[in-house]
Amino acid sequence: MKLYNYELSANCYKVRLLMSLIGIEWENITVDYYPGREHKSEWFLKLNPLGQLPLIEDDGFILRDSHAILVFLATKFDDTGKWYPTQNAEVLGEIAQWLGFADSLNSTAGSARLHDGLFIECDIDSCRSGAHRLMRILDEHLWFQEKQNNMWICSHSNPTIADIACFPSIMLSEEGGISRIDYPAIRRWCDRVRRIPNFIVIPGIFAAGPDINCENTGS
Amino acid sequence: MTQVDSTLISDWHVVADIETLKDDTITTTYLFGERIQIERNHLKSISVTTDSGREVISRQKYGFVWVCLGEPGRPIIEIPEAEENDRHVITGGSMGVHVSGLRVVENFLDMGHFPFVHDGYLGVETNSETFPYQVDITADDEIVATDCKFFQPVASPNAEGGIMADYEYQVLRPYTAVLYKTNPLQPHRKDYIAIFVQPAGEEHCIVHPFLCYLKDGIDRCTVRWFMQLIFGQDKPILENQLPKCLPLDPRAETCIASDATSVFYRRWLREHNITYGAIPIDSASNFSESKSGDIIR
């Protein structure tokens, strides 16, 4: 399995994170996304005409789009079936819904981060206000989930790829000037994600300390 | 606009990585809080103008666009390593950081944070001792820290296992610092890393890394990858420092022995009357009204 990868990309990190959580071995192909813009180079556009990262190559099978890759990896390699429970229609529906939500997080919170850090143009005010709107919705959702003793985004006893898809843009939001201080349920969920066994970091995110509250559910 | 120190006005500042500019396109950035426009034409010639339409002096060197807002008081720094053919000579990827550039320079000079912020790369948390080192001011009025040593599990991507890395640091200008560190494959030679920090505002800067790495066992892409990995780890730490400007009053923040370079740096800034991005001693009595807000009143 080859991953065409850029270290600071939140979307590449989603893929790296799931591969670590499931235990998939992979080969790194670093793409000079910034400042080299190698994802727009002729050789890369042949692999992905959209000129976007990440992209994987598995036994000649090429797949782009971080969320598509999460679906593929979980379905093919996760023998436990917990990350993408293909037999559970309700949860699959919820996952698809939250993958769409994660796309919106990318284009708001994610864009704000790239704007402030790497000078990639966007309407920064509308990205920030859009991100806050989404984070209010997610915070409320997670609060109700906790009330039902459900620690994850979907109605499932384990984290799913929906958690992995939403996590990076949320956890890196402050690099785009978007504070999480008003979203306590999001902050508790972030700590839970960071304590999943085999969790790995991206520059900008640190591993969580030990859980002194033994999973405070906010109740 | 805040008063900008005359030494900074007559100095050179990097405002763009040439690789990120497009022909016949205007790129906007900020220097000392003032908006400036960088335009490159199809002949690759570059002009830089302020918002008021004034053209400022600019040069292209080391892969960057440099400007001086006043009359240049001295030339752009010379980097002999950039002329050595067996090195990758590359820009590292400029990044915006929401903190004073002086804080970034100070962090660049600090070895004490390696085991905590760069655990598994530039240090290990279980082995966090910073050994004593030597700090001096040279005849050219630059700060030099020598005899710096640190155990690093991954000093560079081409390292096979941990090494005791030798470092030397230099502060050449208020917003410019460089380091030399042991190359893992040629231990008698050193890799070179400089940061040219663009003071976009007092509490906002753009860090322009410049790298001269021996080519042995490493490609350009990997040099950039490693620089961005390390700096990406520093960024959230820097952006959470308060106050965002650098206090120059020795009583403002507590120092320990491993902070000797930082102590020299702050004193050197005081002696050169650098106030932009700093909290000068004079304003210490007004801390609660100072530039950065959240200080204990």
Side-chain angles (χ1 to χ4, degrees):
Chain A
M1 170 92 58
K2 286 181 188 162
L3 171 64
Y4 293 78
N5 184 27
Y6 172 60
E7 186 69 31
L8 301 184
S9 154
N11 285 327
C12 291
Y13 170 56
K14 292 175 190 178
V15 175
R16 301 196 300 261
L17 178 55
L18 187 70
M19 293 203 285
S20 172
L21 297 172
I22 295 181
I24 302 170
E25 301 264 318
W26 56 283
E27 182 191 341
N28 179 48
I29 311 226
T30 296
V31 177
D32 181 6
Y33 173 90
Y34 179 82
R37 289 176 59 79
E38 205 180 2
H39 58 302
K40 302 293 183 192
S41 67
E42 205 174 312
W43 74 265
F44 190 77
L45 288 172
K46 282 184 189 157
L47 289 170
N48 180 1
L50 295 180
Q52 291 169 346
L53 293 172
L55 178 123
I56 58 160
E57 204 176 319
D58 178 44
D59 268 343
F61 174 65
I62 290 176
L63 194 64
R64 62 172 187 249
D65 184 307
S66 62
H67 297 164
I69 295 170
L70 295 182
V71 168
F72 168 75
L73 294 176
T75 309
K76 181 164 179 181
F77 296 101
D78 172 29
D79 298 332
T80 68
K82 62 183 183 185
W83 290 101
Y84 191 67
T86 49
Q87 302 304 312
N88 188 328
E90 284 76 14
V91 172
L92 283 197
E94 286 182 352
I95 289 175
Q97 169 187 294
W98 288 103
L99 292 183
F101 186 87
D103 274 329
S104 303
L105 284 171
N106 279 352
S107 58
T108 51
S111 296
R113 169 175 174 257
L114 294 177
H115 173 276
D116 284 13
L118 307 185
F119 320 107
I120 293 169
E121 285 182 21
C122 70
D123 178 346
I124 185 65
D125 293 336
S126 108
C127 283
R128 286 192 186 128
S129 63
H132 279 295
R133 184 178 146 264
L134 295 171
M135 284 162 71
R136 266 196 302 280
I137 291 167
L138 179 61
D139 189 64
E140 188 178 288
H141 170 73
L142 288 168
W143 189 85
F144 279 109
Q145 291 289 89
E146 287 176 347
K147 289 292 163 198
Q148 294 165 28
N149 221 16
N150 188 340
M151 299 303 128
W152 310 106
I153 288 182
C154 296
S155 312
H156 194 50
S157 54
N158 293 297
T160 63
I161 60 168
D163 295 281
I164 304 308
C166 291
F167 176 75
S169 291
I170 296 278
M171 197 69 215
L172 294 164
S173 69
E174 295 190 347
E175 291 190 6
I178 299 158
S179 168
R180 290 185 297 280
I181 197 157
D182 292 331
Y183 311 111
I186 283 184
R187 297 206 311 274
R188 289 192 295 273
W189 167 78
C190 286
D191 284 349
R192 290 195 288 275
V193 173
R194 293 191 297 158
R195 291 195 184 105
I196 300 172
N198 300 316
F199 175 83
I200 53 165
V201 297
I202 176 178
I205 295 179
F206 290 85
D211 182 5
I212 52 168
N213 297 320
C214 294
E215 204 60 86
N216 181 354
T217 60
S219 53
Chain B
M1 193 170 103
T2 317
Q3 184 68 37
V4 180
D5 314 303
S6 56
T7 29
L8 295 175
I9 290 292
S10 61
D11 206 349
W12 292 95
H13 303 277
V14 171
V15 292
D17 177 341
I18 292 169
E19 196 172 334
T20 64
L21 299 179
K22 297 184 188 121
D23 289 352
D24 300 318
T25 305
I26 293 173
T27 302
T28 299
T29 187
Y30 288 82
L31 185 61
F32 301 116
E34 189 174 5
R35 194 161 66 168
I36 58 173
Q37 324 265 10
I38 305 159
E39 184 171 9
R40 184 172 74 172
N41 67 19
H42 61 283
L43 299 171
K44 311 291 181 202
S45 118
I46 284 175
S47 67
V48 182
T49 47
T50 64
D51 246 9
S52 56
R54 177 173 74 97
E55 180 154 358
V56 297
I57 303 169
S58 64
R59 298 275 183 280
Q60 297 185 53
K61 194 166 186 181
Y62 302 131
F64 294 109
V65 179
W66 300 71
V67 303
C68 175
L69 291 182
E71 280 300 313
R74 48 185 169 175
I76 295 169
I77 69 163
E78 287 296 329
I79 305 171
E81 287 76 11
E83 313 300 330
E84 295 176 11
N85 290 333
D86 61 348
R87 290 178 187 268
H88 294 297
V89 177
I90 42 175
T91 60
S94 307
M95 283 198 206
V97 190
H98 184 192
V99 77
S100 161
L102 303 176
R103 288 273 196 199
V104 176
V105 171
E106 184 182 65
N107 179 72
F108 182 79
L109 303 171
D110 173 48
M111 290 186 290
H113 76 289
F114 286 170
F116 307 105
V117 178
H118 308 299
D119 184 25
Y121 294 96
L122 305 186
V124 274
E125 205 167 328
T126 48
N127 190 357
S128 62
E129 184 179 358
T130 304
F131 301 107
Y133 54 89
Q134 179 71 33
V135 192
D136 299 289
I137 306 281
T138 67
D140 292 330
D141 197 21
E142 296 163 354
I143 302 171
V144 179
T146 49
D147 298 332
C148 310
K149 287 185 192 320
F150 218 91
F151 175 76
Q152 303 196 319
V154 185
S156 179
N158 56 1
E160 289 177 19
I163 61 165
M164 186 60 82
D166 290 313
Y167 273 69
E168 180 177 324
Y169 292 95
Q170 298 177 359
V171 182
L172 305 180
R173 312 242 166 129
Y175 282 89
T176 302
V178 308
L179 69 79
Y180 300 81
K181 68 180 286 187
T182 309
N183 179 283
L185 301 184
Q186 298 186 36
H188 59 289
R189 294 183 71 191
K190 287 191 163 58
D191 292 320
Y192 172 98
I193 305 173
I195 53 164
F196 306 119
V197 184
Q198 172 186 347
E202 290 214 81
E203 299 184 354
H204 278 95
C205 66
I206 299 169
V207 180
H208 303 279
F210 179 68
L211 309 150
C212 304
Y213 266 63
L214 294 174
K215 289 177 181 170
D216 203 359
I218 194 165
D219 60 33
R220 292 166 62 90
C221 193
T222 306
V223 175
R224 276 186 171 159
W225 163 77
F226 194 67
M227 181 70 214
Q228 294 185 21
L229 168 83
I230 297 301
F231 193 70
Q233 293 172 337
D234 284 315
K235 187 167 146 68
I237 305 295
L238 287 163
E239 292 184 330
N240 279 294
Q241 289 190 353
L242 285 173
K244 285 193 173 286
C245 287
L246 184 72
L248 299 188
D249 188 325
R251 297 162 301 175
E253 290 177 342
T254 306
C255 298
I256 55 174
S258 66
D259 296 326
T261 318
S262 160
V263 172
F264 266 73
Y265 178 54
R266 292 185 185 201
R267 187 189 307 154
W268 183 84
L269 292 171
R270 281 199 301 276
E271 288 167 3
H272 289 80
N273 298 315
I274 300 298
T275 63
Y276 196 85
I279 301 172
I281 289 189
D282 294 346
S283 63
S285 54
N286 298 325
F287 251 24
S288 60
E289 271 102 29
S290 73
K291 297 162 182 172
S292 318
D294 289 344
I295 303 169
I296 298 164
R297 285 153 204 261

